[in-house]
C-alpha cells in the first residue's frame, strides 16, 4: 500500500506526542486516510502554515511545527536581523504546546524566544515584535477556522506577516530539513532558566492596549451598554482592559457566559467567525434580555470584529464587514476634518475584494484610497511604506471586508481591540447626534447608493480537491464567460501576472455591465474557492434584485 514507508517511519519516530501514534494506528488500513496525511507536506506560504491538527506531513503537529521553526531559525540566522522572536498563541487545541515547541527550536538555534505566558491576540503579537525589537514573530492560531484546525503565522521585524520573498527563503530551508533528524531542540525548562526562552511581561501587553487607547477620537462612552463575546478565544483580557481605560463602566458590559472562557473546541459554534450569524447567536439571544447599544464579537485570535445593533423593531441587525469598514472610515474622516486633525494628503487602504463604496467616501473627504491584494499584510505593508517615506501620519484607516480594521500604525495587522474601540467611539458619537449605528449605515446608503456585497465559497477537500481548484481557475482563464447573469463581462482582470503595483496572485476579476463585479479567488489558508459578489442599486430592493441575479450566475460558474 502506498505511504506504508512513511507510516512506519512516523510510528517509529513520532513518539513525543502519543496522540499521533494512536491516530496513525487507527487509520493504517485506510488508504484514503493515509494518502490525505502523507501525499504532500503541509504548504508553507506567506501566511505560514494552516491545517488540520493530526499525524503526518500534511497535518499540523509538533513535528511540522518544529520543522517550520527550524526553517525560520535558519533564515533569521542568515540575515542581519535581531536574533529574537516573539511568540503568541490563542485558544486553539495544542496551541500552548505548539508555541512552546517553537520556542525550544529557536532557543537551540541561538535565538532568544519571547513567549507570552498565556493566550493573547494576534495584534498583541504584532505589537510585541516591534516593542521587543525582534527579528520575527510567530502566532499559533487558525484564526476563525473550525476546531480541527490550527496554524502558524510568521511575522517579520516590521510586525507584518512575512512577504512572499521571505516566505520563499523560509520554505527553502524547510524543504532542506527532515522533521525528525534535521531539527535542533532545546529543553524547555533549561532554556527558560538560562534566559534563552523568556516570558513576555505584562508591561508589553499594557503598552499595546495603551497604544490603542491613544487612537481614541475621545467621545464620552460612559453611557454605552455592551454585550461582548470573545467566542471562546483570546480577546477577553485585552478588550476588558481597553473598555476600562475608555471609561465604559464594568457594569455596562455583559460577557456572553457560554463563550467567555478559552475553549479550542468552540462548543457553541462550529465556525467561530463573527462573520457568520451562527457564531453570534449566543450573543444575539443575550441581547434580547440585556438590550445593549452594541453587540461586539471577536474571533479566537482577536483580529476580526463583528457587531450587531438595535434594528428599531425590538431585534438586532448584524453589520457586515463592508458596512462597518465604510461606517468607521466615514466616521474617522468626518470627525478628523471637524477637529482639524486630518493630515495632509491622507491615505486609506483596502483590498480589491472589499466594497467599491469606499471609493466615493474617499473622494468626498479628499483621501487617497489604495487597494491591495487580499490579506491585511498588504495593508500593513502600505503603512510601512508611508513610515519609510517619513510621513506615517498620512495613514488614516485600513479595512478589509472580512471584518478586519485598523486606524493606527501601532501594529501591522488587523486589530479587533482597535476595532472595538472604534465601534464604541462611533456609536457614542452618533448617539450624540440622536442616531443609532443603523441610522448611520442607512444614511450612507442614501448618500452613496445601495452597495451590496456577498461572499460564497466552495470547498475542495483532499488531494483531488487541490487539482479541482487549479482546474477551475485554468478553465476560467482559458475560456472566460462572455456574460454572467445576463450582464456582459466588460473587462476581466487576471492578477496572476502581477502589475498595477500588485504582486502576482491567483485571482480573477470580472467587471460587469451595470457596475456589478465578481472576483474568483482560491483561499490562501483553506481548501476552498471564494466568490466575491458586488452590485450597486438605486434602492435596497433594486440592489437585492441585482444581487439575486448575480448570485445565481456566479454559482453556476462552479
Amino acid at each position: 500500500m502506498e505511504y506504508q514507508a512513511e507510516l512506519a517511519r512516523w510510528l517509529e519516530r513520532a513518539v513525543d506526542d502519543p496522540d499521533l501514534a494512536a491516530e496513525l494506528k487507527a487509520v493504517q488500513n485506510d488508504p484514503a486516510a493515509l494518502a490525505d496525511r502523507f501525499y504532500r507536506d503541509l504548504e508553507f506560504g506567506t501566511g505560514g502554515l494552516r491545517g488540520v491538527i493530526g499525524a503526518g506531513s500534511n497535518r499540523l503537529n509538533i513535528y511540522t511545527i518544529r520543522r517550520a521553526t527550524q526553517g525560520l531559525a535558519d533564515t533569521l540566522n542568515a540575515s542581519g536581523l535581531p536574533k529574537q522572536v516573539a511568540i503568541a498563541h490563542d485558544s486553539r487545541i495544542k496551541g500552548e504546546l505548539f508555541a512552546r515547541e517553537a520556542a525550544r527550536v529557536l532557543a537551540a538555534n541561538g535565538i532568544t524566544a519571547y513567549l507570552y505566558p498565556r493566550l493573547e491576540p494576534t495584534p498583541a503579537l504584532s505589537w510585541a515584535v516591534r516593542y521587543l525589537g525582534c527579528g520575527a514573530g510567530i502566532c499559533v492560531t487558525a484564526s476563525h477556522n473550525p476546531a480541527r484546525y490550527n496554524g502558524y503565522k510568521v511575522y517579520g521585524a516590521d510586525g507584518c506577516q512575512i512577504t512572499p520573498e521571505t516566505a520563499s527563503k523560509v520554505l527553502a530551508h524547510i524543504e532542506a530539513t527532515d522533521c525528525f533528524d534535521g531539527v535542533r531542540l532545546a529543553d524547555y525548562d533549561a532554556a527558560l532558566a538560562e534566559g534563552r526562552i523568556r516570558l513576555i511581561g505584562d508591561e508589553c501587553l499594557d503598552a499595546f492596549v495603551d497604544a490603542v487607547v491613544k487612537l481614541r477620537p475621545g467621545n464620552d462612552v460612559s453611557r454605552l451598554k455592551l454585550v461582548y463575546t470573545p467566542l471562546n478565544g483570546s480577546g477577553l483580557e485585552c478588550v476588558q482592559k481597553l473598555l476600562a481605560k475608555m471609561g465604559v463602566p464594568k457594569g455596562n458590559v455583559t460577557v456572553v457566559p457560554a463563550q467567555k472562557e478559552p475553549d479550542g473546541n468552540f462548543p457553541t459554534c462550529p465556525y467561530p467567525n463573527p462573520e457568520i450569524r451562527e457564531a453570534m447567536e449566543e450573543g444575539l439571544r443575550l441581547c434580547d434580555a440585556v438590550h445593549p447599544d452594541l453587540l461586539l464579537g471577536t474571533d479566537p485570535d482577536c483580529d476580526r470584529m463583528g457587531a450587531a445593533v438595535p434594528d428599531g423593531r425590538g431585534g438586532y441587525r448584524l453589520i457586515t464587514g463592508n458596512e462597518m469598514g465604510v461606517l468607521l472610515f466615514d466616521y474617522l474622516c468626518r470627525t478628523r476634518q471637524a477637529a482639524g486633525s486630518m493630515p495632509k494628503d491622507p491615505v486609506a487602504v483596502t483590498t480589491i475584494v472589499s466594497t467599491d463604496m469606499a471609493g466615493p467616501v474617499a473622494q468626498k473627504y479628499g483621501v487617497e484610497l489604495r487597494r491591495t491584494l487580499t490579506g491585511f499584510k498588504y495593508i500593513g505593508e502600505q503603512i510601512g511604506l508611508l513610515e519609510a517615506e517619513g510621513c506615517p501620519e498620512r495613514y488614516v484607516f485600513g479595512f478589509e471586508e472580512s471584518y478586519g480594521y485598523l486606524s493606527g500604525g501601532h501594529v501591522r495587522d488587523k486589530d479587533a481591540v482597535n476595532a472595538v474601540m472604534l465601534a464604541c467611539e462611533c456609536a457614542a458619537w452618533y448617539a450624540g447626534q440622536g442616531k443609532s449605528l443603523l441610522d448611520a449605515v442607512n444614511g450612507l446608503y442614501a448618500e452613496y447608493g445601495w452597495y451590496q456585497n456577498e461572499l460564497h465559497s466552495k470547498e475542495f477537500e483532499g488531494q483531488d480537491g487541490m487539482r479541482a481548484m487549479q482546474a477551475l481557475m485554468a478553465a476560467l482563464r482559458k475560456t472566460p464567460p462572455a456574460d454572467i447573469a445576463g450582464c456582459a463581462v466588460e473587462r476581466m482582470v487576471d492578477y496572476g501576472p502581477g502589475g498595477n503595483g500588485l504582486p502576482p496572485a491567483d485571482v480573477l476579476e470580472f467587471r460587469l455591465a451595470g457596475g456589478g463585479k465578481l472576483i474568483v479567488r482560491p483561499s490562501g489558508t483553506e481548501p476552498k474557492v471564494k466568490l466575491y459578489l458586488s452590485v450597486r442599486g438605486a434602492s435596497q430592493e433594486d440592489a437585492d434584485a441585482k444581487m439575486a441575479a448575480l448570485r445565481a450566475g456566479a454559482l453556476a460558474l462552479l
Side-chain angles (χ1 to χ4, degrees), residues 2 39 87 124 146 160 211 323 380 390 475 508:
E2 198 175 4
Y39 83 92
I87 306 172
C160 254
E323 287 175 335
L508 295 173

Side-chain angles (χ1 to χ4, degrees), residues 93-114:
I93 294 169
K94 295 186 184 285
E96 183 178 5
L97 171 65
F98 292 163
R100 286 186 171 219
E101 291 300 304
R104 293 176 67 193
V105 174
L106 294 168
N109 283 273
I111 297 169
T112 302
Y114 285 92

Side-chain angles (χ1 to χ4, degrees), residues 42-71:
L42 194 63
E43 186 176 354
F44 185 93
T46 55
L49 298 170
R50 188 174 297 184
V52 174
I53 303 163
S57 59
N58 188 35
R59 292 289 188 269
L60 205 72
N61 51 65
I62 59 173
Y63 301 101
T64 51
I65 289 285
R66 289 172 180 175
R67 185 182 186 221
T69 309
Q70 184 64 55

